[in-house]
Amino acid sequence: MSNNKSLGFTLIEVLVSISIFSILSVLAYGALNQSLSTSDKLSDKIDRNQTVQRGIRIIEQDLMQLAKRPIRSEIGNTEINALTTNRVNGYAVEFTRHGWANRLGAKRSTLQRVAFNHIDDKLIRYHWNVLDKTYSNEINTDELFDNLNEVTFLFMKDDNEWVKEWPPIEVAQEESRSILPNAIKITFMFSDLGEIYRLLEIKQQ
């Protein structure tokens, strides 16, 4: 006796299969999209942290090589202290540092004049190709990082007291030209990373 029953799928079975496949495809796409989005956010966060760490490392290297070398101002008849927070010069902090690499053997000092300033939400590093400034000297600028709400510098005196301004007001003018703090504390307040601070011991070179 022959069996004439069809071995194929019915229309309803095909439609149900297509529906299930569509639902699974949507779920899979959603999971993939979420995974890619999370991966992009993680990558952006890693890049951001690396940028901030690199910028802070530059600041640390600069300040840990402070030099007791005042410079001549642009007008030529006055001196600017080795380390100063006098904003008349336009910078949050300005100083002379040792260790300016000279791989090409140029005829220049290995001392370098450096400054930092907080402009808008960015921290900017400045440096000059000469120590004693003139109005014709080029100022080199580098943006270290952004999204910075505030940066503060504190300086430790010999009596271990912290002050915001350097040199301390009680120091005689001649001595203030080359005096350096015993330590510097830098506090960064980022809009995305919160508060980060560094405490640096200063060697009296």
Side-chain angles (χ1 to χ4, degrees):
M1 183 175 179
S2 63
N3 186 0
N4 294 325
K5 187 176 180 181
S6 174
L7 299 178
F9 295 104
T10 65
L11 179 59
I12 293 177
E13 290 173 331
V14 172
L15 292 175
V16 169
S17 299
I18 292 174
S19 299
I20 294 173
F21 178 78
S22 299
I23 293 171
L24 292 176
S25 297
V26 169
L27 293 175
Y29 177 78
L32 177 61
N33 189 51
Q34 180 65 32
S35 177
L36 292 174
S37 177
T38 301
S39 177
D40 289 342
K41 290 179 181 178
L42 180 60
S43 178
D44 291 343
K45 189 172 184 178
I46 291 173
D47 290 344
R48 169 64 174 164
N49 286 336
Q50 289 178 341
T51 297
V52 170
Q53 289 174 4
R54 182 166 55 250
I56 292 177
R57 187 163 56 249
I58 290 172
I59 298 169
E60 291 175 336
Q61 290 172 348
D62 283 339
L63 289 172
M64 291 181 69
Q65 299 187 82
L66 287 175
K68 296 181 178 181
R69 168 54 157 93
I71 65 167
R72 189 172 62 246
S73 69
E74 288 88 342
I75 59 177
N77 60 354
T78 59
E79 282 190 323
I80 303 176
N81 299 334
L83 171 65
T84 179
T85 58
N86 184 357
R87 286 188 176 272
V88 172
N89 300 324
Y91 309 106
V93 61
E94 181 184 344
F95 54 91
T96 305
R97 56 155 288 187
H98 291 282
W100 187 15
N102 190 3
R103 297 181 181 87
L104 299 179
K107 294 183 177 180
R108 62 164 174 79
S109 172
T110 56
L111 296 176
Q112 184 183 49
R113 193 67 177 181
V114 175
F116 293 106
N117 209 12
H118 181 207
I119 299 178
D120 297 328
D121 68 340
K122 301 174 176 61
L123 189 71
I124 309 297
R125 181 185 188 269
Y126 306 81
H127 77 271
W128 291 259
N129 293 328
V130 297
L131 281 177
D132 296 313
K133 304 175 185 178
T134 66
Y135 285 112
S136 61
N137 292 147
E138 179 183 356
I139 304 176
N140 303 282
T141 62
D142 295 292
E143 179 185 322
L144 297 185
F145 39 67
D146 57 8
N147 289 336
L148 180 67
N149 293 335
E150 184 181 10
V151 58
T152 59
F153 295 87
L154 293 176
F155 307 90
M156 180 185 285
K157 301 191 299 181
D158 287 338
D159 60 3
N160 295 331
E161 179 186 354
W162 291 98
V163 294
K164 292 182 178 181
E165 304 295 332
W166 197 267
I169 57 176
E170 69 271 15
V171 176
Q173 183 174 4
E174 288 303 315
E175 184 185 356
S176 70
R177 297 297 186 210
S178 58
I179 189 173
L180 299 178
N182 293 323
I184 299 177
K185 181 179 180 181
I186 319 163
T187 303
F188 308 91
M189 184 61 70
F190 293 96
S191 59
D192 55 343
L193 300 175
E195 181 180 296
I196 298 175
Y197 77 90
R198 291 292 186 270
L199 182 61
L200 310 175
E201 181 182 0
I202 303 303
K203 296 181 179 179
Q204 304 293 323
Q205 302 185 47

